[in-house]
Amino acid sequence: MTAIVTPDWGGWLLGLATVCALVQAAVGFRAGVVARAQDVGPDVGVGPDLGQGVDLGVARRCALVGFVATAAAFGVLIAAFVTSDFSVQAVAMYSHVDKPLIYKIAGAWGNHEGSMVMWCVVLSGVGALLARRTGQNRALGPAIVTTALGVVGALSAVFLLYTVIVSNPFSRLVEPPWSGAGFNPLLQDPAVALHPPLLYLGYVGLAAPFALACAVLVHAPNGGARANATTQRDRVQHVEGQSVEERAPKNQSAQLQRAQVQAWAGAMRGWTLCAFAALTLGIGLGGYWAYYELGWGGWWAWDPVENASLMPWIFAAALFHSAMVTQRRNRLASWTIVLAIIAFSLSLLGTFLTRSGAVTSVHAFANDPARGLVLLGILALVLVGALALFAGRAERLATTAGQVGQIAVSSREGLLVANNLFLVVAALVVLTGTLMPLFAEALGQPVSVGPPYYEKAALPMVALGFVLTPFATMAGWGRALLWPQRWLIGTVAAAFGAVVVAMLTLGAPLGAGVAVALGLWLIGGALLDVRAKVSWGASGRGASGKEAAGRSAARLAWARPQIFGAALAHFGLGLVTIGGAAESAFQSSRTVVLRPGQSVQTGLGAIRLDTVTEIDGPNYTAAVGSLAVDTGADDSGAPGSGTPDSGSPDSGAQGRSLAFAPEWRRYWVRDQNTSEVDIRSGVLGDVYVAFGPPQLTEGQDVAWTVRVLEKPLIWMVFAGIAMVAGGAGLAARGAWRSPMVGGDKNGG
Amino acid sequence: MTTQKVKKRLAVVVFVAIGLSLATGLAMFGLAGSVSFFITPSEVLADPGLRGRPVSVGGLVTLGSVRNDRGVLVFTLEDDDAGIGVAYSGASGPTPDLFREGQCVIAQGLVDDQGVLQARRIMAKHDETYTPREISAAPRLARSCGTASVGQ
């Protein structure tokens, strides 16, 4: 098989994909130019005179062929890694004969060149999906879809050219080495293997709302739909499912505009929710890996590359909340479009920061200023181009038709606007901190910005957002919060205060107390939301004419699960907040140096190192420490209450002794060491033991450093993140469909 | 322009102003005392005014200087001209796996009155090909942390 399909095919396939992408871009560009030249709106149907049907067909075929070609190229690359074909430069640099098979495969995308190919695969995949979603495309109209495909094609072409020219993974070596140089043991881990694909689904997924936003801007009609009357009627029939006679002619353009806006806002919302779910999982997986692998028990370090993934995540959240307002109430259309542009630009910024070495980070792949400059150029082109398009065309969006008066501050729209404000400010603050080292260095004095900045500056905005969240789910569209709901504010404030005081008595800092209270508030709000939706469904208002009233909650959850998506996600946020606060406020840490057979008494109990045995793994030798640790806890692994090393001698008598077997590994290939922690998880928290490095003491005995951490409620952090992703994915299910006519405040 | 449009524009301007002021205010509040300057050991010795302010010191871990003093990691960090003592109690985790003598690292923390850096965090390379920008750009580390790294 390898004799027929050589790695050179990879390069040719990428070239084919580039050609398809260029044709796609040209076709999309043509559709836009023609529409503007003839000054027609996007509601114009398939007309042979405008050739849009033909254009769409060409664009769709290019998108599909391009995706197949790019995916095949990626397959060729993976095959080269799997067979350890060291004549391919990327394989020689990043793989090794002794790597287990699954990490050889993951190694294909665990480096700069290979991951750029994966980026291109996902981007062309987005294009292919955009092309295939016929329901969505009917509602949007061929003009917008063609231009959107064109934008995706242009982006694909740019990135494919970048990959092929600047970072080609298929370049060959004349003299292949025997075994390969790529063997970082830290990267041989299932979480690390899955982390990039999930992140890329998120980053690149945001290209879809971006492309839709650009297409909407290009095709925004010049003040009302000056379109062919017959085709207009055809579209109206198609979209609204009603006959033309039922509607007065003067309302046609308003209804049409409303339907159009609902279509693109819904599509943007759906795509963003999917990208957001993937990005959430990717970030969560990275945090989880850092927790169990790096040995310091932390899961988020406000590292510049971590922040680079957080910023598109925040903007994506702002985007789907804003798109909801646009879809339901025909408002904030321009704002939604700006958010779509910025969110994708932040994805590109993230790519630039990660790959260029411009900021010091534990994640940076390598220092390559040349590649970084090209990426920066691409980012500038995309951002400036899209913003220029926006500046020129935003006024034509003209969605005043269908808007009802002013936004009441405590209506759902008003609260969502506030939500957007807080999210965007938080993201700006994170952006400032992340880029500050870059600017400071340019000005001569290098600086670094640490976690205290982010905690002080960004978290207050997040907290404010969390306060408003349950109110927003309770509020109705288009009307202020009802008085009974306002009464809630007083009760809630009192309960809040009570929780904070309780936390302070337990010895937590004020911030942790507030965080726990907020988390409980979010969870309570989510449960109230579920209850409201269930009763709404049971009353039959959510049912279409065919379905009977009085359905049970279970049937509602089965038939339309997407309405519970928001509640699930908000519940998850609450869990993350509580877990994060508990583990940082109440964690305890003990570090001791022990020889085998030695035991030490600490304030929280004894730590005993029984034996150290040497075992051999597939590509390493490990020293396994057999430890007995008193945790001042019961046998579920629950840690005791917070104060570390309090010095009272009898606290060790309370708890059980837990056994641990952490390892200190030495990998043969590079004489590189890692420590593998052992974790005992329980409902009340984790006990986390790290082992090594060894030291020679006087008398030439080997002593080992042992570090014991107790992390209360840490499982809530990761469970909560998973729930946020799940909730977003669930909500995506119904996002594309226009909401029902006359939907109540608690509907979908 | 209709009043509706004027009102809408005003609302947009007000929102942008609020947003930017909030962001700027929070950023300034956060930056106060959280920004840490990057310097080399010679600069630590030369400027007593840096004591008590968060700093990141980059340099070479002197061969033979690493020892464990009752659970606190003690070593000497040197550049081409001078060296300072560093003490790390493990507050932010065990030292990175690639921390060893003859390696170039960045230690972040506060310099105490005796001129010893009480480090809160140690950052070393995470693989052979990566060197933090500040180290490769610092003139006083050209010899110590140059391309021919000792003891790797």
Side-chain angles (χ1 to χ4, degrees):
Chain A
M1 185 6 220
T2 35
I4 309 171
V5 180
T6 66
D8 296 322
W9 281 53
W12 300 330
L13 283 165
L14 287 182
L16 171 63
T18 311
V19 169
C20 289
L22 285 169
V23 172
Q24 204 179 320
V27 161
F29 184 65
R30 186 183 109 96
V33 164
V34 164
R36 292 281 54 76
Q38 307 226 347
D39 202 15
V40 291
D43 48 294
V44 175
V46 178
D49 29 312
L50 286 184
Q52 280 176 342
V54 174
D55 278 353
L56 179 57
V58 172
R60 289 183 66 210
R61 269 178 220 107
C62 285
L64 290 168
V65 173
F67 171 61
V68 170
T70 319
F74 196 42
V76 169
L77 183 65
I78 293 180
F81 269 83
V82 166
T83 54
S84 290
D85 180 353
F86 292 118
S87 69
V88 177
Q89 187 176 34
V91 182
M93 280 168 60
Y94 303 118
S95 189
H96 194 280
V97 276
D98 284 341
K99 263 178 159 179
L101 175 66
I102 197 149
Y103 298 125
K104 281 182 182 162
I105 298 177
W109 59 74
N111 61 81
H112 174 73
E113 293 84 354
S115 66
M116 282 314 298
V117 178
M118 187 166 69
W119 178 283
C120 294
V121 171
V122 183
L123 189 52
S124 59
V126 165
L129 269 177
L130 258 177
R132 300 260 317 158
R133 285 194 63 94
T134 41
Q136 163 197 282
N137 295 351
R138 252 204 308 273
L140 287 172
I144 289 187
V145 177
T146 314
T147 307
L149 283 176
V151 172
V152 175
L155 287 170
S156 295
V158 165
F159 280 104
L160 281 164
L161 283 170
Y162 172 81
T163 307
V164 168
I165 297 174
V166 177
S167 53
N168 194 335
F170 297 107
S171 48
R172 308 291 288 273
L173 291 176
V174 174
E175 288 180 11
W178 283 111
S179 63
F183 196 87
N184 190 343
L186 275 182
L187 299 181
Q188 291 177 33
D189 182 280
V192 171
L194 276 178
H195 174 67
L198 283 170
L199 281 182
Y200 281 27
L201 284 174
Y203 285 152
V204 182
L206 288 175
F210 173 81
L212 285 169
C214 291
V216 166
L217 283 173
V218 166
H219 288 286
N222 293 359
R226 261 203 278 150
N228 182 310
T230 39
T231 46
Q232 205 176 25
R233 245 172 288 156
D234 293 337
R235 276 214 23 85
V236 162
Q237 226 162 11
H238 212 58
V239 169
E240 302 275 73
Q242 291 174 326
S243 61
V244 146
E245 295 83 34
E246 291 178 33
R247 195 174 309 104
K250 67 173 162 62
N251 283 338
Q252 261 180 22
S253 66
Q255 291 277 26
L256 215 50
Q257 268 181 10
R258 181 81 197 264
Q260 189 91 65
V261 169
Q262 277 184 342
W264 64 253
M268 269 199 209
R269 194 170 141 236
W271 278 104
T272 309
L273 280 167
C274 291
F276 178 81
L279 199 51
T280 308
L281 280 178
I283 294 176
L285 210 56
Y288 185 55
W289 174 82
Y291 173 67
Y292 70 71
E293 182 61 38
L294 294 182
W296 60 289
W299 47 277
W300 186 262
W302 295 107
D303 182 79
V305 168
E306 291 174 10
N307 297 342
S309 68
L310 189 64
M311 290 184 289
W313 185 89
I314 296 178
F315 263 82
L319 176 56
F320 64 71
H321 284 105
S322 172
M324 191 161 47
V325 178
T326 308
Q327 188 183 17
R328 288 295 219 109
R329 308 291 289 173
N330 206 11
R331 289 179 161 276
L332 299 183
S334 315
W335 176 241
T336 305
I337 290 195
V338 168
L339 282 179
I341 293 175
I342 298 182
F344 182 60
S345 307
L346 286 173
S347 285
L348 294 181
L349 177 69
T351 311
F352 162 69
L353 285 178
T354 313
R355 292 162 191 283
S356 63
V359 281
T360 300
S361 156
V362 295
H363 294 78
F365 278 105
N367 283 339
D368 201 333
R371 286 174 178 166
L373 274 176
V374 178
L375 281 171
L376 194 59
I378 296 176
L379 165 65
L381 204 66
V382 166
L383 183 59
V384 169
L387 285 179
L389 183 64
F390 178 78
R393 311 256 336 141
E395 290 201 326
R396 308 262 162 76
L397 279 173
T399 55
T400 46
Q403 278 182 11
V404 191
Q406 300 283 60
I407 296 183
V409 169
S410 65
S411 66
R412 195 180 281 191
E413 296 99 299
L415 291 172
L416 286 175
V417 167
N419 151 284
N420 261 231
L421 180 69
F422 297 140
L423 284 176
V424 169
V425 170
L428 280 177
V429 160
V430 171
L431 184 66
T432 310
T434 309
L435 293 182
M436 170 108 1
L438 269 173
F439 293 128
E441 195 190 325
L443 293 172
Q445 171 59 60
V447 300
S448 70
V449 176
Y453 165 79
Y454 297 101
E455 287 166 14
K456 278 198 283 182
L459 293 186
M461 289 284 104
V462 173
L464 280 176
F466 284 179
V467 169
L468 290 185
T469 307
F471 289 119
T473 47
M474 276 187 259
W477 292 110
R479 61 184 152 193
L481 269 182
L482 304 174
W483 273 111
Q485 292 161 332
R486 295 191 193 199
W487 268 109
L488 203 55
I489 297 177
T491 335
V492 165
F496 204 97
V499 172
V500 174
V501 167
M503 289 288 291
L504 286 172
T505 15
L506 282 175
L510 180 65
V514 170
V516 169
L518 276 177
L520 289 170
W521 171 230
L522 277 171
I523 289 180
L527 292 171
L528 281 176
D529 188 15
V530 170
R531 194 181 75 117
K533 293 220 158 65
V534 167
S535 67
W536 168 79
S539 72
R541 276 175 295 174
S544 71
K546 296 187 284 272
E547 293 161 329
R551 289 143 83 203
S552 68
R555 286 187 62 201
L556 183 65
W558 186 250
R560 297 187 53 219
Q562 58 266 23
I563 65 176
F564 298 111
L568 181 62
H570 295 150
F571 192 105
L573 277 180
L575 272 187
V576 173
T577 312
I578 296 179
E583 72 98 3
S584 66
F586 293 132
Q587 80 166 342
S588 69
S589 145
R590 300 175 265 174
T591 309
V592 296
V593 180
L594 293 172
R595 284 192 291 275
Q598 198 182 3
S599 143
V600 138
Q601 191 68 248
T602 67
L604 289 171
I607 302 177
R608 189 176 78 247
L609 174 62
D610 287 324
T611 54
V612 177
T613 28
E614 285 226 339
I615 58 166
D616 276 353
N619 40 25
Y620 59 83
T621 306
V624 184
S626 175
L627 288 152
V629 176
D630 289 344
T631 60
D634 61 37
D635 63 4
S636 68
S641 75
T643 41
D645 294 337
S646 53
S648 61
D650 60 1
S651 55
Q654 302 163 2
R656 290 286 200 93
S657 188
L658 297 173
F660 290 90
E663 298 178 12
W664 174 258
R665 290 186 186 170
R666 185 183 316 112
Y667 286 83
W668 308 322
V669 170
R670 278 189 187 166
D671 196 24
Q672 207 171 333
N673 301 316
T674 64
S675 70
E676 299 293 316
V677 301
D678 195 12
I679 306 177
R680 292 283 289 266
S681 302
V683 164
L684 290 179
D686 280 5
V687 185
Y688 181 105
V689 177
F691 188 61
Q695 322 160 5
L696 285 179
T697 59
E698 321 82 27
Q700 301 294 59
D701 292 334
V702 179
W704 297 84
T705 312
V706 175
R707 190 171 158 75
V708 177
L709 293 173
E710 295 181 28
K711 314 277 292 176
L713 299 181
I714 183 91
W715 64 266
M716 283 193 180
V717 171
F718 303 116
I721 293 178
M723 287 173 83
V724 171
L730 208 53
R733 203 168 163 271
W736 275 270
R737 249 186 306 134
S738 299
M740 303 154 318
V741 175
D744 195 67
K745 62 170 176 139
N746 286 326
Chain B
M1 268 202 259
T2 65
T3 2
Q4 188 74 299
K5 262 194 172 172
V6 169
K7 270 189 169 175
K8 196 176 169 193
R9 294 237 169 117
L10 202 59
V12 170
V13 168
V14 165
F15 261 101
V16 171
I18 294 179
L20 282 179
S21 331
L22 265 177
T24 317
L26 284 167
M28 311 248 66
F29 166 61
L31 284 173
S34 316
V35 172
S36 143
F37 293 103
F38 178 83
I39 51 180
T40 55
S42 319
E43 288 160 46
V44 173
L45 293 173
D47 185 1
L50 287 169
R51 312 265 158 106
R53 286 208 264 146
V55 288
S56 307
V57 183
L60 179 73
V61 180
T62 311
L63 291 171
S65 69
V66 177
R67 58 191 173 83
N68 190 309
D69 184 7
R70 284 158 304 182
V72 176
L73 181 76
V74 175
F75 59 94
T76 309
L77 208 55
E78 67 178 33
D79 63 7
D80 295 347
D81 303 322
I84 59 167
V86 181
Y88 177 58
S89 59
S92 61
T95 53
D97 293 329
L98 279 174
F99 171 86
R100 63 187 74 162
E101 298 173 353
Q103 195 67 267
C104 276
V105 301
I106 298 181
Q108 291 182 328
L110 296 166
V111 180
D112 66 19
D113 298 322
Q114 285 82 41
V116 173
L117 174 63
Q118 300 295 332
R120 293 208 203 107
R121 202 169 155 208
I122 308 252
M123 300 201 299
K125 300 197 287 192
H126 58 95
D127 75 44
E128 288 76 40
T129 58
Y130 176 69
T131 307
R133 263 180 93 72
E134 293 92 329
I135 288 189
S136 41
R140 284 213 187 83
L141 293 174
R143 246 192 312 119
S144 322
C145 293
T147 45
S149 233
V150 184
Q152 168 58 17

